[in-house]
Amino acid sequence: MERLHLSPINAISGVIALPGSKSISNRALLLAALAEGTTTLTNLLHSDDINHMLTALDKLGVSYDYDQSNATIEVTGLGGRLSQGQNLELYLGNAGTAMRPLAAALAIGTGEFLLTGEPRMKERPIGHLIDALAPLGAKIDYLEAEGYPPLKIQAQDLNGGTVEIDGSISSQFLTALLMAAPLLTETLTIKMKGELVSKPYIDITLGMMARFGIEVDNQNYQSFTIKAGQQYRSPGRYLVEGDASSASYFLAAAAIGGEIEVRGVGRASLQGDKHFADVLEAMGAKVEWGDDFIRCSKGDLKGVDMDMNAIPDAAMTIATTALFAKGPTTIRNIYNWRVKETDRLSAMATELKKVGAVVEEGEDFIRVEPVMDLRHAEIETYNDHRIAMCFAMLAVGGQEVTILDPGCTAKTFPDFFERLAEVSV
Ligand SMILES: O=C(O)C1=C[C@@H](OP(=O)(O)O)[C@@H](O)[C@H](O)C1
Ligand SMILES: C=C(OP(=O)(O)O)C(=O)O
């Protein structure tokens, strides 16, 4: 297995032009495919998760012209539903932002589809989405374990009506249903049951649907109505914002030891993970905002005790930043860390203990107590890009660390370690 030894980094300094947001790139590709007209997406992320969406769209007969070196793609919209052949197999790796939205959109297309992915994808639940689609008449079978991919989808002409969806495990199920709703022949009302997690991702979805011409009546995140007769329309050009979750590693590194400006995310961003900078500020870092940049510099960090349900991805970076703060840090309401790339609660607790931290792992929280003497460890990454990236904070804090399988950052940030080296002085 490949391994990357990181020596202590003196300081972080410079400017980072962020790669495109994963969440926005995959939504934009699907919406552009469903829209009437041609859409030019700029600053598209190039990573495994996006490649899975691109390959799937290609197999579904969507044509696009991808200029990877300029991070630009021109997508010719279908102006309606996805339709293609019999038993078309789509392999979606471990990309939640491809699996969930495609499952819903394909259930309302024409054809027969088999949606599958990496072994871990087969352990990530999708039952709440399928349970919401079933009352509309969707025909979806589980090919292995009940409630999990792989799925067999026999697309149907679906009407509409009122459905309930459980949002307590993943917001991606509601996102998937919202994005597919304009493909129905009638009005759809979605009623929430269970407490909606990761809520800011719904704002990304609604904001982007609006840019593609769809109005959603949002009743305080309790129910959503998408009126019949609306059609996705291309906005022409669409700039993908920088990835706010990817920004978290650079912002935290600066908070620990240096200064940085991340470009592509700022006050005007659609992404909830921009509020990661507020957490760093609460810990004692200095933060400055522009419309599309955030600057952060070193402060005397102290631990915090916070509900981080709204920023589940960036919150992992807080868990390692906490090693360089005074006093313990508690990250609360993060049960769904357990159903992501790996069981992140258990994995983070295990790896943080290896470097010497005192850690308490609760069912839905983690408490990290820093220690005077950290030690070198080989960090197991469990095929989880964010574990690989957030443990780089050790080196920034002056502690050498070895990251096993650093290539797993390819899910969302293939050249992360090279970019970190560029701003390391
Ligand atoms: O909608 C999205 O783009 C995402 C939603 C979040 O997932 P959950 O809603 O499952 O928490 C987040 O963790 C994931 O990386 C991306
Ligand atoms: C949870 C994540 O990914 P996914 O989109 O596959 O859910 C993530 O990127 O941290």
Side-chain angles (χ1 to χ4, degrees), residues 5 15 35 37 41 45 49 91 136 146 185 201 205 231 246 250 258 279 292 316 322 336 362 376 385 416:
H5 178 262
V15 175
L41 305 174
L45 175 63
D49 276 11
Y91 178 85
L136 294 171
E146 183 86 9
T185 51
Y201 287 94
T205 304
Q231 161 70 52
S246 299
F250 299 99
V279 180
D292 70 347
M316 291 172 73
N336 71 351
H376 173 253
H385 53 141
F416 170 74

Side-chain angles (χ1 to χ4, degrees), residues 21-24 26-27 49 96-97 100-101 124 167 169-173 175 196-199 201-202 204-205 245 273 309 311-313 336-337 339-341 344 385-386 411-412:
S21 151
K22 168 200 75 171
S23 294
I24 295 179
N26 268 354
R27 281 169 175 77
D49 276 11
T97 55
R100 280 76 182 258
R124 296 183 66 188
I169 282 289
S170 170
S171 69
Q172 290 181 5
F173 307 143
T175 281
L196 176 62
V197 295
S198 307
K199 193 167 140 197
Y201 287 94
I202 299 306
I204 300 181
T205 304
S245 319
D273 269 5
N309 189 277
I311 58 162
D313 295 357
N336 71 351
W337 272 21
V339 293
K340 296 184 185 272
E341 279 71 342
R344 287 175 164 173
H385 53 141
R386 297 202 192 283
K411 186 174 192 285
T412 56

Side-chain angles (χ1 to χ4, degrees), residues 147-216:
Y148 297 83
L151 305 174
K152 176 159 184 195
I153 301 178
Q154 288 172 275
Q156 310 282 319
D157 211 1
L158 303 182
N159 299 326
T162 299
V163 292
E164 281 194 328
I165 192 163
D166 190 324
S168 63
I169 282 289
S170 170
S171 69
Q172 290 181 5
F173 307 143
L174 174 59
T175 281
L177 196 53
L178 284 165
M179 293 205 293
L183 306 175
L184 297 167
T185 51
E186 296 171 0
T187 295
L188 180 71
T189 296
I190 305 168
K191 292 198 179 300
M192 298 311 297
K193 58 177 184 185
E195 184 126 342
L196 176 62
V197 295
S198 307
K199 193 167 140 197
Y201 287 94
I202 299 306
D203 295 325
I204 300 181
T205 304
L206 297 176
M208 293 188 65
M209 287 174 72
R211 279 292 301 281
F212 282 79
I214 302 291
E215 238 180 74
V216 178

Side-chain angles (χ1 to χ4, degrees), residues 12-14 253-255 257-261 296-298:
I12 292 291
S13 176
E259 40 91 20
I260 199 91
E261 176 175 311
C296 182
S297 54
K298 182 174 160 54

Side-chain angles (χ1 to χ4, degrees), residues 351-364:
E351 301 310 308
L352 283 163
K353 282 178 194 162
K354 277 194 199 165
V355 299
V358 176
V359 182
E360 184 188 352
E361 176 196 342
E363 185 61 5
D364 69 349

